Amino acid sequence: MAGVLDSVDSRTRLVGQNRLELLMFKLHSNQLFAINVFKVQEVLRLPKLTSLPGHHPHVVGIAYLRGQAVPVINLAQAIGMPALEAKPESSLIVTEYNSTIQAFLVGGVDRIVNLNWEDIIPPPRTSGRQHYLTAITRMDDKIIEIIDVEKVLAEINPYTIVLDPSQLEDDIVNAARDMEVLMVDDSPTAISQVQQTLAPLGIIVHTATNGKKGLDLMKQWADAGENVPEKLLMLITDAEMPEMDGYSLTSAVREDPRLRDTFVVLHTSMSGNFNKAMVEKVGCDDFLSKFQPKLLAQLVENRVRIKAGLAEIS
């Protein structure tokens, strides 16, 4: 366990190189699951849990870690499997998503693996757990299932994602109607959240499930003679995606003269100063932590004002 923790502490250097590291773990059987190490704060044996009255059925209790109350989620139960029994030998994976801290109860931690995003592929349609997977990969002739943690968390603590149309200015709504955004994300939950947030503005949201598909789509538009930076109000991209991550996508956009002036927003559940540094490194125009619909709407409204020649708000 200590070796895994030592590795977790030093894993940010690969982000931005179209590489990632996965923390692999088991739930009930020998099937291996994984999440990105960059989201992991620590791994530890199950501490004493405190019951939480009226809690969501997938939350098994509260762990007090360094003076902070951290909800503990039964991950097996949350993805449709039988609930894990909380035993002293069970493991907790403590993570940070969307600027919140939570822990996942798992059967046992396996190891950390270093991979290229090109080795990560979408889950097969026949997968019974596809509903909760963003991708799969293979290692040592075994399939590794990568869990859509954003979907798990959204179901436990649903987001309010629909804007109140009465709070939107008429000139913004009129100007935004039929403007176009490209949303690149491998999480159907994240795509749905953005689509619903932007729906009151009448904005057309094109989607792609990874950076390569997003880049190919933009190049298709350019090949057809469209002015892509003018066509798109913005490109909103996740950081972590199969085949090509958001950092590599942004770099590729900046390297193509036909695309380089596109306004790019990095939209990710990873938070902190590291992401801000990566925004500057690869040339994103802005960064937005998932999922903050009001901040997304404010960013979009500012872009609409600029695009429509209206006065920009600070």
Side-chain angles (χ1 to χ4, degrees), residues 1-5 23-27 40-49 60 62-66 70 72 84-94 103-111:
M1 186 70 65
V4 172
L5 289 176
L23 176 63
M24 300 196 302
F25 56 90
K26 298 177 182 178
L27 295 175
V40 178
Q41 288 199 340
E42 61 180 321
V43 179
L44 66 157
R45 293 297 184 194
L46 182 67
K48 181 180 179 180
L49 299 180
V60 296
I62 294 292
Y64 288 91
L65 305 176
R66 299 179 180 84
V70 177
V72 176
L84 282 170
E85 182 181 352
K87 302 178 180 178
E89 63 269 24
S90 299
S91 296
L92 279 190
I93 301 176
V94 183
F104 296 103
L105 174 69
V106 300
V109 172
D110 185 79
R111 55 183 159 144

Side-chain angles (χ1 to χ4, degrees), residues 128-202:
R129 286 184 292 271
Q130 181 187 7
H131 191 51
Y132 290 96
L133 302 181
T134 58
I136 63 170
T137 190
R138 290 182 179 272
M139 177 155 295
D140 301 331
D141 295 324
K142 294 182 179 179
I143 294 177
I144 315 300
E145 300 184 354
I146 303 173
I147 293 177
D148 186 352
V149 177
E150 292 171 7
K151 179 174 179 60
V152 171
L153 296 178
E155 291 184 350
I156 293 174
N157 185 23
Y159 298 95
T160 301
I161 57 180
V162 179
L163 300 177
D164 182 356
S166 65
Q167 296 180 350
L168 301 173
E169 299 177 26
D170 290 341
D171 60 342
I172 293 295
V173 175
N174 293 332
R177 188 172 294 113
D178 296 331
M179 285 189 176
E180 301 176 56
V181 164
L182 174 57
M183 172 72 179
V184 184
D185 201 304
D186 63 329
S187 170
T189 299
I191 289 177
S192 176
Q193 288 169 342
V194 169
Q195 287 175 324
Q196 292 183 57
T197 298
L198 299 185
L201 289 170

